[in-house]
Amino acid sequence: MPHQRTAYDPYPKHKPTPAEPVIVHLRVPPADGVIQWHTHAWGQLVCPHKGSVRVSVPGMMWIVPRYRAVWIPPGIEHEVVMLGEVDFHVMYVEPRALSLPLDACTVIEVSPLLRELANALADDAMHQEKRRHAAMALLIEEIREAPTLPLGLPLPTERRLRTLCVAMMEEPGADRTLAEWAPRVGASARTLARLFHTELDTSFGTWRRQLRLARAIDLIGRGVPLADVAIEVGYANPPAFTTMFRNALGFPPSYLVNAGTAEDT
């Protein structure tokens, strides 16, 4: 059964300026809350401090855990959904201050220094102007140097393919073939395979792997043991899950477990 979502409209929303190019707020929304579709005139980074969020823009979705942040350029319509209990930093950014793209979202890795700078700057916690500007400059440099990660999940508009993708998102661990899914959406396996390529420029197998990766990152961020995560996303053999994860991101899932543990100490 879907979660009951509570609409959440966060305040304050101080606009960044060339003199104050990054404004940081700590948001504490209700569990399973949703910031409904909207746009900003400025860029923003959404960086979970606890839990994970799901960020959607037209045609794409990201699940973002607490050691990652998603960049949303100005003018791009987006929705932010809390996956359970969440608090997060949002950094409103003067777009010219960064080298991040102005026409597409991306996910960046959040270093311990970047996180601590966000904590220090949140809601004007650092009142001494000289120190605040120094911290802001260092925060911008950390964002510029942050590695990007391929965690986006493209979403289709074609009715049959979207029905399939939504069903798969509800059961990311299902091992059904495309032929087994096809009767559920009223299209042949051949038609669905073609739609994956024409609508999403990918294959059924690649899209499912990205879905499982997104779900796994969310579960790891919630503290679920890796063996249970592997089963949840369709890998009865944990080493096979670790191999898939490492091939996709360049590091094993244990890296995220260790990162979260280090930040909690």
Side-chain angles (χ1 to χ4, degrees), residues 130-160:
K130 185 176 180 181
R131 291 185 69 230
R132 188 173 75 253
H133 281 273
M136 200 175 296
L138 185 54
L139 176 62
I140 290 170
E141 187 60 28
E142 279 295 290
I143 294 170
R144 285 175 176 164
E145 294 296 317
T148 60
L149 295 167
L151 298 184
L153 189 68
L155 298 176
T157 56
E158 201 279 337
R159 176 185 56 81
R160 294 165 297 177

Side-chain angles (χ1 to χ4, degrees), residues 2 10 29 31 53 62 95 97 119 126 192 225:
V53 299
W62 296 263
N119 279 329
M126 186 180 290
L192 291 171

Side-chain angles (χ1 to χ4, degrees), residues 45 54 63 113 176 204 227 254 261:
L45 278 161
R54 186 177 74 228
I63 293 178
L113 177 57
R176 298 183 189 92
F204 166 72
S254 58
T261 301

Side-chain angles (χ1 to χ4, degrees), residues 8 41-42 53 63 121 154 167 171 190 217 219-220 222 234 255:
Y8 171 60
W42 51 82
V53 299
I63 293 178
L121 288 166
E171 299 182 73
R190 173 179 285 187
I217 290 170
L219 293 171
I220 293 168
R222 295 166 183 259
Y255 171 84

Side-chain angles (χ1 to χ4, degrees), residues 54-233:
R54 186 177 74 228
V55 177
S56 300
V57 303
M60 190 70 73
M61 180 271 283
W62 296 263
I63 293 178
V64 188
R66 61 196 176 108
Y67 19 71
R68 300 290 180 261
V70 61
W71 163 248
I72 306 169
I76 291 185
E77 190 178 20
H78 58 282
E79 177 193 60
V80 182
V81 174
M82 316 305 148
L83 301 177
E85 293 186 1
V86 177
D87 60 56
F88 66 96
H89 287 112
V90 61
M91 306 176 205
Y92 294 149
V93 182
E94 170 65 33
R96 291 167 291 185
L98 299 179
S99 57
L100 292 169
L102 295 180
D103 59 352
C105 300
T106 190
V107 174
I108 66 169
E109 186 172 343
V110 175
S111 70
L113 177 57
L114 196 159
R115 186 176 296 279
E116 289 305 316
L117 289 166
N119 279 329
L121 288 166
D123 297 309
D124 299 322
M126 186 180 290
H127 299 291
Q128 209 281 331
E129 185 174 358
K130 185 176 180 181
R131 291 185 69 230
R132 188 173 75 253
H133 281 273
M136 200 175 296
L138 185 54
L139 176 62
I140 290 170
E141 187 60 28
E142 279 295 290
I143 294 170
R144 285 175 176 164
E145 294 296 317
T148 60
L149 295 167
L151 298 184
L153 189 68
L155 298 176
T157 56
E158 201 279 337
R159 176 185 56 81
R160 294 165 297 177
L161 186 59
R162 188 171 185 87
T163 299
L164 171 60
C165 290
V166 169
M168 291 173 64
M169 288 168 68
E170 293 297 320
E171 299 182 73
D175 61 358
R176 298 183 189 92
T177 65
L178 198 52
E180 290 170 328
W181 279 111
R184 295 193 173 198
V185 298
S188 69
R190 173 179 285 187
T191 296
L192 291 171
R194 174 178 55 80
L195 287 170
F196 268 108
H197 284 284
T198 57
E199 283 264 319
L200 302 178
D201 194 28
T202 190
S203 67
F204 166 72
T206 299
W207 192 91
R208 182 169 62 181
R209 185 164 58 249
Q210 282 296 104
L211 169 64
R212 289 174 168 179
L213 186 65
R215 176 63 172 160
I217 290 170
D218 171 39
L219 293 171
I220 293 168
R222 295 166 183 259
V224 176
L226 290 182
D228 294 340
V229 173
I231 293 170
E232 173 72 17
V233 298

